[in-house]
Structures are given as C-alpha cells and as structure tokens.
C-alpha cells in the first residue's frame, strides 16, 4: 500500500546471505504516530536469494516474541506483512522456511454473479462494491464506487448478500455489523475517476470484465475492464485495478485509459444537499480531499476521503442533470472533483475510502487525522533493513 525503504545485503555478500537458514527483518518507524497495520513489502526476488523454501515449505515470519506473523506472496512478486511498529520505534522479525500455515483472512473480494454481476471487496475495516453489466438493464448505468459501512472486523460480504437475496435481512439495515446506506446512482460515488474534458464529466457504464488477481489473507487485488468510454466523439479503452490491504480505510485505485493524447480527468465524490463539509490539502505534488456527508438518521456520520500521491492540478465543483435511463425521471447530481491530467501510457494511482462515526471515527477531525497520517506514510516510508 505504501512506499518502503529497503536496505538489503550488498551484492558482494549475497552468496553469504543466501546460505543462511534465517535472516532478520527490521522495521523502523520514522513517524511520530503508530503504523501498526501498514503493509511492509519485501521484493520476493531478494527474499528468495537468501532463503529458498524446500518441498512442502513456505516462508515463515516470527516477531521478537516468537509469534508467527501472517504473510502473503502477492501476484506481483512481493512478500508482505503488517508492520506492527509504534511511533519512533523499531520492530524486529525473523524470516525462515517452514511448514505452511493457515491464517484467518483479513481481506476478501469476489464477483457476485448472483446479484447482477456486482464485484464486492472488504477488509477488517471497510467494504466496497462496483456494478456489473447485468444491472444496467434493470437500474441503468452506474459507474460509481459504492461504500458499505462496517463496524466489525469480521468479513461479511458473503453473508450479507446471502441474507439479502434470501429475503432474510437487508444489508440496507444495520443489524449490528453495519449497512449499505450510501447512494451512488449515475455518479462517481465514493471516488471513481472519469474523463473531464470541456469541464464536464464523461461517465462510462458498468464494468464488463473482471479478474481476481489475489485474495488475502492480507491483500485483495482485482482488475476490471469497461467498454470504451466516449469523449467528444472519440473512444478510449478503460480499465481499473483495485487493491485493498488489511487494516486500511482506503482502497488503492490504478486508473488506465488507452488514449494516445494527454486527457484531463477527475476523481470525484458525490456531493449531497444539506449540512456537509469539504476539507482540502493540496501541497506541492501531493493532495488529499475529504468530504463529510450530511449526518444521516440511520447511518450517523460518514467521511469520504481521497489521496493523490502525484498531486492535483485543481479542484472543482461539478453539477449536471440527466434523465434516468430506466425510470425516465430527471435527476441532478453534484461532485467534489480532484482534477489532473492522464498522460498516455502512465496509469494514475490514487486512494479512496471512508471513515464512519460508528467504527473508529466519531468526528471528522478523527478522519482528517487518519488521512494526514496515511499521506505522511506515503511520503515518509518505513525503513526496512534485512541481514543476519
């Protein structure tokens, strides 16, 4: 999820390191706040140069109390684990080869074929969903990001869908674990991106293809593809990669367009009528936006946030009206937008997610502090040292 500084053995000492049956991983936190759940990423190529598990073995990580710590090998060749390090402190781990172990998953996602092709994903803090092609015919196009408020560290997606479809319990009502109270419609929802050409949003439709790349226990990643998006009579391929780490309030989004020319784009949060609030932090090449939804009688207080590690060119407010494709009624929608430029062949990576007053964020100041710490973590990486 976040950048990490690595100090591996010098090349001259690599052969000596590779003969070791164990080696130490030291995680140093340079920040003045705890980074307990942040993910440490070790290049698997460097790890395997030092330790090669035998037949029937895998990598085993232990902390300084000899407790086994969950690890995951990612689809893009990394060994990851949660840092578990407090402010200005250091945590020491030992990596070795050993028998495979099973860890309770903290992330999960799946293509929900039984609910009109939704794709939903979650961790021990939050849940999200996007809409597939089968839903367009009965509800019209909806290309936004839906937020599922959770107040449990348990994984709930499968059970919520099962109960909803069986008519036992609706996930729109809170039975003690959370609820789906967020409205998306024909908007970007809680942080999707779209071309923003001519100072207007060019919304695509629901995704048409999906591929699950990895599914826990610490990170879930998947790719979705869309039909070409039309902009001023031109069409461009569009795809997204979503990734969610355990312990995080924010899902990582990698946005890809098949344009050969630079194109203005905007990631947006749908804006409601009523007593809401907007918080912006745009400094240099880094930016964050937080939108506090009007307090709801059913859900309480919800705060939606986006972080742009490569910065923004500007922010904007956008309002438009349309006729609903199925219901035939006129609707008006507004967004808080973060505007930047998509460069050909260069995906845009940003983070979006939320905090909930019923699960760790009583007030917007609490969520703003989380966003500030998350942003600092991206700019001030953990320091990782490995050796004997």
């Amino acid at each position: 999820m976040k950048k990490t500084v690595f100090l591996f053995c010098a090349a001259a000492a690599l052969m000596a390191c590779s003969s070791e049956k164990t080696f130490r991983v030291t995680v140093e936190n340079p920040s003045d706040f705890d980074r307990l759940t942040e993910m440490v990423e070790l290049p698997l190529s460097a790890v395997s140069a030092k330790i090669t598990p035998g037949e029937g073995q895998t990598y085993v990580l232990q902390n300084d109390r000899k407790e086994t710590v969950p690890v995951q090998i990612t689809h893009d060749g990394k060994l990851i684990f949660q840092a578990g390090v407090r402010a200005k402190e250091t945590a020491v781990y030992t990596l070795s080869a050993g028998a495979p172990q099973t860890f309770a998953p903290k992330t999960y996602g799946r293509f929900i074929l039984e609910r009109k092709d939704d794709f939903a994903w979650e961790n021990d803090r939050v849940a999200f969903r996007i809409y597939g092609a089968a839903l367009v015919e009965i509800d019209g196009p909806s290309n936004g990001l839906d937020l599922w408020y959770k107040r449990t560290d348990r994984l709930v997606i499968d059970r919520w869908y099962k109960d909803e479809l069986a008519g036992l319990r609706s996930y729109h009502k809170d039975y003690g674990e959370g609820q789906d109270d967020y409205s998306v419609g024909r908007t970007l929802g809680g942080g999707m991106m779209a071309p923003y050409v001519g100072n207007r949003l060019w919304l695509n439709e629901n995704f048409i293809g999906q591929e699950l790349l990895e599914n826990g226990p610490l990170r879930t990643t998947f790719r979705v593809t869309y039909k070409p998006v039309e902009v001023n009579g031109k069409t461009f391929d569009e795809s997204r990669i979503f990734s969610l780490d355990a312990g995080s309030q924010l899902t990582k989004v990698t946005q890809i367009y098949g344009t050969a020319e630079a194109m203005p784009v905007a990631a947006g949060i749908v804006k409601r009528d009523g007593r809401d609030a907007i918080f912006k932090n745009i400094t240099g090449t880094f930016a964050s936006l937080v939108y506090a939804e009007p307090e709801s009688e059913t859900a309480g207080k919800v705060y939606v946030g986006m972080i742009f590690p490569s910065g923004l060119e500007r922010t904007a407010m956008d309002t438009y009206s349309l006729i609903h494709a199925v219901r035939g009624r006129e609707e008006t929608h507004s967004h808080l937008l973060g505007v930047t430029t998509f460069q050909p062949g260069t995906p845009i990576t940003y983070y979006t997610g939320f905090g909930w007053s019923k699960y760790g964020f009583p007030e917007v100041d609490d969520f703003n502090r989380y966003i500030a710490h998350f942003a600092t973590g991206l700019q001030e990486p953990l320091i990782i040292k490995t050796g004997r």
Side-chain angles (χ1 to χ4, degrees), residues 98-137:
Q101 300 189 41
T102 301
F103 304 107
K106 294 183 178 181
T107 68
Y108 175 71
R110 117 176 139 84
F111 182 43
I112 315 294
L113 190 62
E114 67 270 28
R115 217 303 293 201
K116 302 296 181 181
D117 295 357
D118 287 355
F119 204 109
W121 65 108
E122 64 178 319
N123 65 7
D124 48 343
R125 300 292 311 175
V126 291
F128 306 89
R129 83 167 153 182
I130 53 176
Y131 304 107
L135 190 64
V136 175
E137 184 177 351

Side-chain angles (χ1 to χ4, degrees), residues 298-342:
T298 55
K301 301 174 184 178
V302 174
Y303 324 107
V304 188
M306 298 188 295
I307 293 179
F308 302 89
S310 297
L312 291 173
E313 295 168 10
R314 62 189 176 97
T315 62
M317 298 300 301
D318 181 82
T319 300
Y320 56 89
S321 296
L322 54 82
I323 303 299
H324 192 279
V326 174
R327 300 180 182 89
R329 64 173 183 242
E330 185 176 23
E331 299 176 343
T332 299
H333 302 291
S334 295
H335 287 93
L336 165 65
L337 299 177
V339 183
T340 187
T341 299
F342 183 90

Side-chain angles (χ1 to χ4, degrees), residues 202-230:
W202 298 79
L203 300 177
N204 206 339
E205 296 189 359
N206 305 28
F207 72 87
I208 60 172
Q210 52 78 33
E211 179 186 8
L212 185 62
L213 301 176
E214 59 197 347
N215 209 8
L218 299 175
R219 176 177 292 170
T220 290
T221 306
F222 66 98
R223 178 188 293 111
V224 288
T225 55
Y226 298 82
K227 74 173 191 178
V229 59
E230 183 176 347

Side-chain angles (χ1 to χ4, degrees), residues 255-277:
Q255 181 76 38
I256 306 166
Y257 290 107
T259 175
E261 301 175 353
M263 180 174 65
V265 295
I269 302 169
V270 61
K271 187 180 184 302
R272 320 294 186 185
D273 293 328
R275 301 184 63 181
D276 55 6

